[in-house]
Amino acid sequence: MNPDLQELARLLHERGNRCAELPALLGFDGTVDHLYAVIDRRDGPGDLWTPLPDIAGFGQRITAAAGRSANLEMVPKTRKIGGNGPIMAAALAACGAPVDYLGPLGSPEIDPAFAAFSTQVRVHSIGEPAVTHALEFGDGKIMLPVLQSYDEVSAERLLESPGRNELLRLLEKARLVALLNWTCLPYMDGILDLFSKDLLPALGEDRTRRFFFDLADPAKHSALAVAGVLTRIAGFERFGQVVLGLNHSEACQAARALGLAEPSAGVKPLTECAAGLRERLGISLVMIHPRELAVAASSDEVAHVPGPVCADPVITTGAGDHLNAGFCLGLQLELPLRHCLRLGVLFSGYYVRTGRSPSIHEILDFLPDAYS
């Protein structure tokens, strides 16, 4: 291993057992994901087929069908827990972090898809989960969600159950609070206001507390709405350290909403964008993670690392959520910023190769071969 990976391995050996001392609170989405491959060519029954390799090829098939029709066969791959919050929560729990999860995971009983999840995480379910049909390709995925159940996820619902006192208790003990998937939750602005204007003022400032936000591809929202939620997110800095995680597309949308230049690919434009977004919002940290690398900017440094790109992933849905989990875990373990990024891409890299959330020990085993 190169010296940088050796240093990360040493730090994880020294600090990995601290995960059990880092309680986290996450919310508020919850989805049952149905994952599919899309067939390019079928040569016979059963497994005698070849998948469409990339989104461009899928797009060409769709475009060619304009004014006509098309028959694109899908092959089910798996049915699993979904949503930014549950996947990130499960990844943190796999490393031994105590996690409370608030979201629509089934009512009155937990949906069977979340049965194992509910044994790893303390679940506070507030309704029925949504459903997402995800078409997976080698270079990404097409998400087709059905989200009507998210209409029940609101500040008013949270004040009914688990209730204000329980929310305060969960917030007070949490060292990491991840408030996720603004894009898909229609009443998320109200939930953010509940936290920033009612609950957190009752607890006061705590600079050891971190807030992590992931917008989850706000392309269907106006630039004005995106600017509005970014302003709300910035307001959490009064109560702890705010961390904003974005993929490349989300970074472009955030930059456009705030009147900044949209970053092209590459380390320099992405780190400049991260620094510009952080300064404009007045928050502690911005992290941007395109597929090939990850960058981050704090008030006093910028960092970047390459990602261990997988040419033949077992799964891609949830890769970004695992990157977020590894990155936040690195921050909670007080690793140097570049190692936080490295841990994030390693979590993602391990997950897409195996379909499982890694433990710290599995990341240590993965390190020597991750970039080979």
Side-chain angles (χ1 to χ4, degrees), residues 36-248:
Y36 306 90
V38 181
I39 288 181
D40 180 17
R41 187 183 70 253
R42 178 170 281 287
D43 298 313
D47 295 335
L48 297 176
W49 55 272
T50 303
L52 272 169
D54 52 39
I55 293 174
F58 179 67
Q60 289 167 6
R61 291 288 184 89
I62 298 297
T63 300
R68 304 177 184 178
S69 62
N71 183 341
L72 296 172
E73 182 184 353
M74 301 188 302
V75 177
K77 296 174 68 175
T78 188
R79 181 180 186 271
K80 58 182 283 293
I81 69 167
N84 299 116
I87 295 174
M88 183 176 174
L92 291 169
C95 290
V99 178
D100 284 273
Y101 192 76
L102 276 164
L105 308 183
S107 177
E109 302 295 329
I110 299 299
D111 187 280
F114 291 96
F117 177 77
S118 65
T119 67
Q120 303 161 339
V121 170
R122 287 183 291 270
V123 168
H124 310 263
S125 184
I126 56 174
E128 288 296 323
V131 176
T132 293
H133 301 279
L135 312 182
E136 292 201 320
F137 303 92
D139 62 343
K141 55 190 177 292
I142 303 295
M143 310 289 282
L144 302 170
V146 182
L147 303 177
Q148 281 88 341
S149 65
Y150 285 171
D151 289 348
E152 304 301 317
V153 181
S154 65
E156 292 76 16
R157 180 71 179 87
L158 291 172
L159 288 171
E160 291 174 6
S161 178
R164 186 174 187 274
N165 289 339
E166 180 67 1
L167 289 169
L168 286 169
R169 187 188 71 82
L170 294 172
L171 270 174
E172 187 171 27
K173 74 173 183 176
R175 297 301 85 205
L176 172 68
V177 180
L179 308 178
L180 306 164
N181 206 341
W182 171 81
T183 290
C184 293
L185 294 164
Y187 297 112
M188 188 65 165
D189 283 348
I191 292 174
L192 296 179
D193 287 346
L194 170 66
F195 275 65
S196 65
K197 296 179 180 180
D198 178 9
L199 301 175
L200 288 168
L203 299 176
E205 181 181 9
D206 183 349
R207 301 309 295 175
T208 68
R209 182 192 295 125
R210 286 187 175 88
F211 300 98
F212 180 80
F213 296 89
D214 183 337
L215 298 180
D217 189 11
K220 65 183 178 182
H221 293 282
S222 69
L224 183 63
V226 174
V229 72
L230 291 173
T231 299
R232 280 184 164 87
I233 287 170
F236 281 72
E237 188 71 25
R238 292 178 294 154
F239 307 107
Q241 300 179 57
V242 170
V243 181
L244 177 61
L246 305 162
N247 63 26
H248 191 180

Side-chain angles (χ1 to χ4, degrees), residues 246-262:
L246 305 162
N247 63 26
H248 191 180
S249 174
E250 292 160 353
C252 289
Q253 294 168 58
R256 184 165 61 249
L258 296 179
L260 301 175
E262 296 183 34

Side-chain angles (χ1 to χ4, degrees), residues 350-370:
Y350 184 95
Y351 172 74
V352 301
R353 286 163 173 78
T354 66
R356 297 189 297 105
S357 299
S359 67
I360 293 294
H361 291 299
E362 286 170 325
I363 287 295
L364 287 168
D365 290 340
F366 179 49
L367 264 173
D369 301 320

Side-chain angles (χ1 to χ4, degrees), residues 233-293:
I233 287 170
F236 281 72
E237 188 71 25
R238 292 178 294 154
F239 307 107
Q241 300 179 57
V242 170
V243 181
L244 177 61
L246 305 162
N247 63 26
H248 191 180
S249 174
E250 292 160 353
C252 289
Q253 294 168 58
R256 184 165 61 249
L258 296 179
L260 301 175
E262 296 183 34
S264 58
V267 170
K268 187 173 186 292
L270 289 170
T271 52
E272 288 176 349
C273 179
L277 289 170
R278 191 210 65 79
E279 184 176 0
R280 178 65 60 88
L281 293 170
I283 61 177
S284 294
L285 187 61
V286 171
M287 181 264 291
I288 303 175
H289 56 94
R291 185 166 176 260
E292 300 82 8
L293 72 153

